[in-house]
């Protein structure tokens, strides 16, 4: 199994989830500007959509879209899902919210040409969505005491929010620290050369990926 990633990008959620699941995997960095992989392959030939993550399975199939990669990992490692009768549905509901409502709202921060008005509107939308999630944090994580793949995705978006100076509700800061303290998370951050509690802005994500390629 191989994960194509860029440091600090949403693919970090997939890396953390693989570590949490104890899955032995290879990791290949992608330069998001040149679309070349670390080993010199054209990334478009691996994922024609051009973005990370892409997970190459042992049978040669490739799965793209963070939501699909994360739900696959949870399907294969049920301890990383919420469990219960509607567990899979609730997980997809949460992953879809994080992907389409939260992650997508960061778009103006990832594009140089976005205006400051667009960024302000996006920051407000993100803060609103984070506030909604505050009420969802149970005992410890999004689904109570059980850490799931959805937490890895929310963690990555919280890193971005903090890097871009977006208002993060206090209870989510506690949650962020809890997630960041997990050994699998520490390991993933170290592997991507990311400092703990000093989130990288996206411009740095790209620079790091380009410089290291
Ligand atoms: N819909 C995709 C979006 C993935 C995405 O936005 N990836 C970003 C990094 S977080 C990326 O590779 N951006 C480079 C680009 O779009 O050119 C998913 O959910 O997996």
């Amino acid at each position: 199994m191989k994960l194509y990633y860029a440091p600090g990008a949403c693919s970090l959620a997939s890396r953390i989830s693989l570590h949490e699941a104890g899955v032995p995997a290879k990791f290949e960095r992608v330069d998001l500007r040149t679309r070349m992989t670390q080993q010199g392959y054209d990334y478009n030939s691996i994922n024609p959509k051009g973005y990370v993550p892409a997970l190459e399975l042992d049978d040669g199939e490739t799965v793209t879209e963070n939501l699909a990669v994360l739900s696959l990992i949870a399907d294969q490692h049920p301890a990383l899902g919420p469990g219960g009768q509607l567990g899979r549905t609730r997980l997809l509901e949460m992953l879809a919210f994080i992907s389409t409502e939260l992650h997508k709202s960061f778009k103006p921060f990832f594009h140089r040409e976005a205006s400051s008005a667009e960024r302000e509107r996006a920051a407000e939308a993100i803060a609103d969505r984070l506030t909604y999630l505050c009420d969802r944090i149970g005992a410890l994580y999004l689904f109570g005491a059980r850490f799931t793949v959805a937490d890895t995705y929310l963690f990555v978006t919280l890193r971005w929010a903090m890097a871009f100076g977006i208002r993060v509700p206090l209870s989510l800061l506690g949650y962020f620290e809890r997630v960041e303290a997990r050994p699998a998370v520490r390991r993933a951050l170290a592997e991507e050369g990311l400092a703990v509690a000093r989130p990288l802005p996206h411009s740095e994500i790209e620079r790091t990926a380009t410089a290291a390629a």
Side-chain angles (χ1 to χ4, degrees):
M1 197 174 271
K2 188 197 273 185
L3 178 72
Y4 291 89
Y5 77 99
C10 51
S11 46
L12 175 60
S14 307
R15 183 192 288 260
I16 295 170
S17 297
L18 289 170
H19 289 337
E20 289 279 353
V23 176
K26 293 182 182 144
F27 299 91
E28 185 159 349
R29 195 165 36 217
V30 178
D31 183 331
L32 295 176
R33 283 197 197 140
T34 62
R35 304 264 197 267
M36 295 299 286
T37 76
Q38 196 174 4
Q39 292 186 17
Y41 294 103
D42 174 9
Y43 184 58
N44 284 322
S45 68
I46 294 154
N47 178 10
K49 291 181 272 193
Y51 47 68
V52 291
L55 184 66
E56 207 171 80
L57 307 181
D58 292 339
D59 64 4
E61 292 265 2
T62 299
V63 178
T64 62
E65 301 297 326
N66 224 0
L67 189 159
V69 171
L70 294 175
S71 73
L72 173 70
I73 295 170
D75 282 348
Q76 294 180 344
H77 302 274
L80 287 172
Q85 210 184 358
L86 271 183
R88 192 164 191 280
T89 303
R90 293 296 177 215
L91 181 65
L92 289 175
E93 186 179 42
M94 183 58 75
L95 289 175
F97 179 77
I98 297 171
S99 174
T100 64
E101 302 298 330
L102 196 52
H103 177 170
K104 272 296 149 201
S105 298
F106 281 90
K107 210 167 179 178
F109 291 96
F110 294 159
H111 289 101
R112 258 179 253 283
E113 64 276 11
S115 67
S116 49
E118 284 172 314
R119 288 200 178 131
E120 270 168 40
R121 273 197 302 276
E124 269 173 41
I126 292 164
D128 280 355
R129 280 153 196 170
L130 290 179
T131 301
Y132 161 75
L133 285 177
C134 275
D135 300 334
R136 286 297 319 249
I137 304 291
L140 292 171
Y141 302 114
L142 282 167
F143 290 99
R146 202 152 156 168
F147 183 84
T148 71
V149 293
D151 292 296
T152 70
Y153 203 178
L154 177 57
F155 172 75
V156 170
T157 60
L158 285 174
R159 289 188 85 251
W160 298 341
M162 289 156 69
F164 294 126
I166 296 166
R167 184 166 38 89
V168 174
L170 209 58
S171 64
L172 279 184
L173 290 178
Y175 165 86
F176 178 84
E177 284 172 6
R178 214 160 31 245
V179 175
E180 195 181 49
R182 295 179 68 87
V185 177
R186 294 278 168 145
R187 178 180 164 197
L189 291 172
E191 286 171 352
E192 297 200 1
L194 304 170
V196 169
R198 197 195 70 80
L200 282 179
H202 193 263
S203 54
E204 266 191 64
I205 293 172
E206 290 196 332
R207 257 205 307 280
T208 312
T210 306

